Amino acid sequence: MRPSPASDERSPDPSAVALAVLRRHYGDRYAIHRNSDLWVATDRSPSGLTAPTIIEPTLELFVAALESPGQRAGRPFETA
């Protein structure tokens, strides 16, 4: 007996789905990725006034930080 096509399909990885949603929602402002333990966002604007990088261990903390990023600690890079 041949298995049905539905039994061969794997459910998508929840982290991959969350990453796609985050990129669609915040991708114009941040480059977003996930390593094995951390969610990471890098501000695409080198002259922004908020923290240039956001790193959080959980999705909930990460989204909260994206919604309300901290202030930049140093002076933005100057462009020539």
Side-chain angles (χ1 to χ4, degrees), residues 44-62:
R44 293 183 185 276
S45 172
S47 61
L49 299 176
T50 60
T53 305
I54 296 170
I55 302 171
E56 294 293 346
T58 67
L59 182 58
E60 293 79 16
L61 291 172
F62 187 64

Side-chain angles (χ1 to χ4, degrees), residues 1 8 11 15 24 35 41 45 48 55 59 63 75-76:
M1 177 178 219
D8 288 341
S11 60
S15 292
R24 187 170 43 245
N35 68 18
S45 172
I55 302 171
L59 182 58
V63 172
R75 199 173 61 197

Side-chain angles (χ1 to χ4, degrees), residues 17-72:
V17 173
L19 185 59
V21 170
L22 290 168
R23 285 178 175 165
R24 187 170 43 245
H25 189 75
Y26 298 102
D28 60 329
R29 179 160 181 200
Y30 295 100
I32 300 173
H33 68 276
R34 176 165 168 75
N35 68 18
S36 61
D37 296 330
L38 300 171
W39 293 90
V40 181
T42 305
D43 195 338
R44 293 183 185 276
S45 172
S47 61
L49 299 176
T50 60
T53 305
I54 296 170
I55 302 171
E56 294 293 346
T58 67
L59 182 58
E60 293 79 16
L61 291 172
F62 187 64
V63 172
L66 289 171
E67 286 293 318
S68 182
Q71 291 184 338
R72 181 179 286 272

